[in-house]
């Protein structure tokens, strides 16, 4: 947790309504940090369903292994998250630690071990002292005042400079349901998914199968379309919980993808996920600029996304943006190195609404002054037109500053 | 050209012997820089042969297009190189500029346009004022004192902080032949090949076909095994010239790959290329550490190289090294994100000769003190054993420092 808040942080946090069927509590287990909450417990009512998406790392953390193994049940009664230690690359000790963590939480919640989802974020390779949960779990379960969404989001922060929360409402059957989400992440952020944790909650009653489909679909344009530093975490976890408490208001369950109400739910869920994903980029370590990269008329959508990520991950593009330098030559370089089909002589590039390059060379009307003005803004859009097909993609990233190097040169020690 | 010389720069430059059949001259054409040499002309004797390897960028520079188009002739009489402007992404103007450059040089040298190789390095997207070569070319050709190898290497520098030269000797038929090389490159360095130019010269008489085979083969473990920032240039060019002047000493030409003398030539050429490649990394923008990354027991050599490059290109690994932090958890992360086969529980990692992780967890004998001592050195070796097969690869990189961001945040403006 950094002392200096990102200049791209939101100026105000939204009010998140309660979600029936889930309460939060936070505590200080002293895993690594002291004097701050480092553990979050979500307590779900019976019947809560869950779906999840995880890192594609070949060296996933022990909690990721645990969640994947229990997710097929599709039900959840608890979620225990700690910050300060990722419980990743911890071998048998790591597997033992997740088993113990789940047992501690399940005992206190009065549920099965396999109904407790787990997530950990922080240093890789240090054994997680899971017994420390024992000393706080009863207080967490018995908390007489549930933690707020902001407190929940704060408890899972590591190098984040601000808590990340988002909300959306949807009218279903003439009644309102809510989707709330929290997230953490600031570095080691890259598709596919990066050191990020996000937990999303709804009071709607949605089957775990439908939730899994919606989550997997919406992750592509949100959490899988952001990059801070191209480094993919061992711990990435997005979980979506449906408590079903809205059924009490007479809202029928959503059990099939052909339910006519799917579209509005999909759209609201996508909004919450995109909002949280953008907040993660805006808290990118050392970030001072939020950059949207649009690639269009590529050979295919997949090709467009690869090119967009090649631009978004280029240290030379990112340092130029940090320097407020409209160095579009480096965008050409990044298009060229992506390995995707590109034709130099049909390539055009815009910075904001200023076309800087047209069909393979500097735009005849190029104005250094107009382009420089765009680079001074906090929000910058780069647009690349390949002139080849109809493929398109949008990704989001931030600039690469000296502060990124500073933060990451002495994070662990 | 930076005022501050890399701390990893060589403490002394080797003496390079003359190579019969080639002379150099340098001049100030004022392409971008003033008060320094920015143009290099190599003047070859008739019969000189050439081979080349180029960037894999899909948006190559105009000089790369030119060289590729004339290389099939296999002969060279001149090499004209400028620094300050890459003549890349310059459309028809770029093609016109290379045609004009070749015509100016060919006229002065008394050869065909197609016998003049061209290379340019510097800013992308600015039209190259090739007519400026007219005013210096006669002086370059008539230079009464040939430029030294060091002067030649200096003329092609951009953000380099020192000139890069290397040499090797080989005994052929009881006589000595020489291989000399020069190179430039400091940023936008990545496989496959990065903003780097390298020109290698030998007095041996080797057919262009044999040279092409040797060059393509040796580039894999040298220029294609280095990365500064994962950014691949539009302009990468390695050219190998054989003047054949050694024939005067009675050394027979090498025209076939089954010539028994191939092995010693291959080995010496590889040495010169590796030496130059390492010098480029040691001049990596902002570099303070030279890092060798060895991956072994991977599924295949190709897989090993991908994993090695994933580690070498990880901003989090590179900033940890800058911070002298033995953060091997980030090495695990980089192995995991490479997308290659890896089994967390058979993975072991060494920093120098200290094993920090063994079979999926922190080494039981891990010593923070011993590892920290290794991180303080200028030269650091990271070794990763996948425990899967027999594939191996070695790549070289440098750390990522605040100076990298500083240099690249205001290079163009």
């Amino acid at each position: 947790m950094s002392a200096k808040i990102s200049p791209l942080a939101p100026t105000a946090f939204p009010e998140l309504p309660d979600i029936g069927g889930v309460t939060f509590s936070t505590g200080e287990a002293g895993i690594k940090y002291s004097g701050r909450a480092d553990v979050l417990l979500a307590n779900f009512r019976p019947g809560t369903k869950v779906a999840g998406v995880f890192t594609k790392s070949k060296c996933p953390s022990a909690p990721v292994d645990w969640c994947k193994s229990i997710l097929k049940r599709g039900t959840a009664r608890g979620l225990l998250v700690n910050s300060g230690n990722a419980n990743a690359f911890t071998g048998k000790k790591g597997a033992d630690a997740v088993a113990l963590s789940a047992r501690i939480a399940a005992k206190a919640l009065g549920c099965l071990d396999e109904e407790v989802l787990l997530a950990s974020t922080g240093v890789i390779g240090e054994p997680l002292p899971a017994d420390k949960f024992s000393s706080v779990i009863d207080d967490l379960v018995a908390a007489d005042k549930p933690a707020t969404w902001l407190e929940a989001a704060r408890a899972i922060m590591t190098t984040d400079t601000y808590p990340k929360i988002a909300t959306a409402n949807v009218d279903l059957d003439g009644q309102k349901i809510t989707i709330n989400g929290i997230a953490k992440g600031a570095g080691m952020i890259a598709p596919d998914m990066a050191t990020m944790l996000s937990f999303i909650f709804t009071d709607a009653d949605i089957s775990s199968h439908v939730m899994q489909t919606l989550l997997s679909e919406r992750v592509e344009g949100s959490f899988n379309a952001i990059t801070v530093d191209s480094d993919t975490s061992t711990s990435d976890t997005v979980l979506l919980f449906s408590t079903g408490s809205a059924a009490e208001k007479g809202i029928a369950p959503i059990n099939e993808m052909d339910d006519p109400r799917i579209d509005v739910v999909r759209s609201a869920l996508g909004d919450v996920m995109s909002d949280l994903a953008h907040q993660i980029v805006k808290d990118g370590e050392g970030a001072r600029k939020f950059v949207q990269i649009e690639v269009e008329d590529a050979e295919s959508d997949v090709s467009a996304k690869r090119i967009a990520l090649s631009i978004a991950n280029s240290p030379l593009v990112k340092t130029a943006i940090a320097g407020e330098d409209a160095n579009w030559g480096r965008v050409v370089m990044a298009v060229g190195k992506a390995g995707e089909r590109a034709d130099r002589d049909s390539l055009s590039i815009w910075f904001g609404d200023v076309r800087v390059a047209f069909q393979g060379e500097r735009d005849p009307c190029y104005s250094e002054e107009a382009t420089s003005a765009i680079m001074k803004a906090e929000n910058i859009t780069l647009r690349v037109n390949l002139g080849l097909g109809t493929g398109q993609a949008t990704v989001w990233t931030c600039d690469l500053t000296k502060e990124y190097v500073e933060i990451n040169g002495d994070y662990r020690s």
Side-chain angles (χ1 to χ4, degrees), chain A:
Chain A
M1 193 154 42
S2 169
K4 211 167 78 185
I5 292 166
S6 167
L8 306 172
T11 49
F13 294 107
E15 277 296 322
L16 268 56
D18 283 343
I19 299 243
V22 57
T23 54
F24 297 101
S25 49
T26 65
E28 300 185 17
I31 301 289
K32 173 182 151 83
Y33 305 116
S34 60
R36 58 156 280 195
D38 63 353
V39 54
L40 168 68
L41 180 74
N43 187 342
F44 298 105
R45 72 174 214 162
T48 295
K49 295 181 266 291
V50 63
V53 179
F54 303 92
T55 181
K56 289 183 187 156
S57 172
K58 306 286 175 166
C59 300
S61 68
V64 166
D65 281 350
W66 171 264
C67 287
K68 281 181 173 171
S69 76
I70 65 167
L71 204 67
K72 56 184 173 295
R73 296 177 56 92
T75 61
R77 290 292 307 282
L79 165 69
L80 182 68
V81 189
N82 74 276
S83 54
N85 184 314
N87 193 13
F89 208 68
T90 40
K92 173 138 188 348
K93 290 190 198 78
D96 292 346
V98 292
L100 178 59
S101 306
R103 196 157 63 242
I104 291 169
K107 188 161 168 250
L109 292 165
C111 66
L112 300 174
D113 296 4
E114 292 74 24
E115 291 175 314
V116 179
L117 284 295
L118 298 171
S120 296
T121 174
V123 173
I124 295 174
E126 300 278 337
L128 175 71
D131 54 315
K132 290 196 177 182
F133 294 131
S134 306
S135 58
V136 295
I137 196 77
D138 290 333
D139 287 346
L140 291 175
V141 173
D144 56 357
K145 192 172 140 295
T148 65
W149 293 93
L150 261 185
E151 284 164 347
R154 259 186 229 285
I156 62 173
M157 286 163 62
T158 54
T159 56
D160 304 62
T161 73
Y162 60 86
K164 295 157 189 78
I165 60 176
T167 185
N169 291 315
V170 183
D171 279 326
L172 290 189
D173 307 339
Q175 300 276 348
K176 191 178 77 173
I177 64 113
T178 300
I179 301 174
N180 285 349
I182 66 173
K184 69 82 50 178
M188 212 184 275
I189 297 297
D192 292 296
M193 305 202 350
T195 303
M196 51 146 297
L197 304 179
S198 183
F199 309 109
I200 306 166
F201 309 85
T202 180
D203 50 358
D205 186 351
I206 311 179
S207 76
S208 58
H209 170 74
V210 168
M211 285 205 294
Q212 188 64 50
T213 304
L214 292 176
L215 193 64
S216 300
E217 198 183 88
R218 289 297 106 179
V219 85
E220 274 311 309
S222 59
F223 296 119
N224 276 353
I226 59 171
T227 180
V228 167
D229 52 15
S230 81
D231 278 340
T232 304
S233 160
T234 54
S235 308
D236 303 325
T237 299
V238 179
L239 296 172
L240 172 59
F241 299 92
S242 114
T243 68
S245 71
E248 293 159 11
K249 293 190 269 185
I251 301 175
I254 298 179
N255 292 323
E256 301 297 337
M257 283 302 293
D258 59 5
D259 190 302
R261 299 166 300 171
I262 277 287
D263 283 348
V264 287
V265 173
R266 175 195 281 122
S267 165
L269 176 64
D271 288 348
V272 168
M273 290 168 73
S274 291
D275 188 343
L276 292 171
H278 295 182
Q279 288 188 56
I280 288 174
V281 171
K282 287 178 178 174
D283 205 8
E285 289 165 344
R288 288 181 307 215
K289 307 272 188 192
F290 180 66
V291 188
Q292 174 163 318
I293 295 168
E294 303 171 357
V295 172
E296 59 192 25
D297 294 359
E299 199 173 29
S300 67
D301 287 354
V302 170
S303 176
K305 193 164 182 184
R306 286 203 188 117
I307 290 169
L309 286 170
S310 177
I311 299 167
N313 283 324
S314 159
L316 288 170
V317 170
K318 291 160 86 83
T319 48
I321 292 169
E324 302 189 337
D325 176 9
N327 194 325
W328 56 271
R330 294 185 181 171
V331 177
V332 174
M333 176 280 298
V335 172
K337 80 163 177 167
E340 294 297 312
R341 202 179 140 214
D343 175 356
R344 186 180 57 197
D345 299 332
S346 69
L347 189 63
S348 300
I349 300 170
W350 289 257
F351 278 58
D353 53 4
V354 176
R355 193 175 66 188
V356 293
F358 181 59
Q359 295 185 347
E361 56 184 305
R362 189 167 66 186
D363 193 278
C365 307
Y366 177 80
S367 152
E368 184 84 22
E369 202 178 353
T371 322
S372 293
I374 282 162
M375 302 309 290
K376 294 199 191 308
E378 262 185 6
N379 293 289
I380 295 172
T381 299
L382 307 190
R383 180 153 63 97
V384 172
N385 187 304
L386 276 291
L388 293 175
T390 58
Q392 55 178 314
T394 301
V395 306
W396 294 271
T397 190
C398 56
D399 54 345
L400 171 58
T401 65
K402 289 185 207 173
E403 287 68 33
Y404 177 88
V405 178
E406 192 167 278
I407 292 164
N408 286 298
D410 46 36
Y411 168 61
R412 199 190 65 128
S413 38

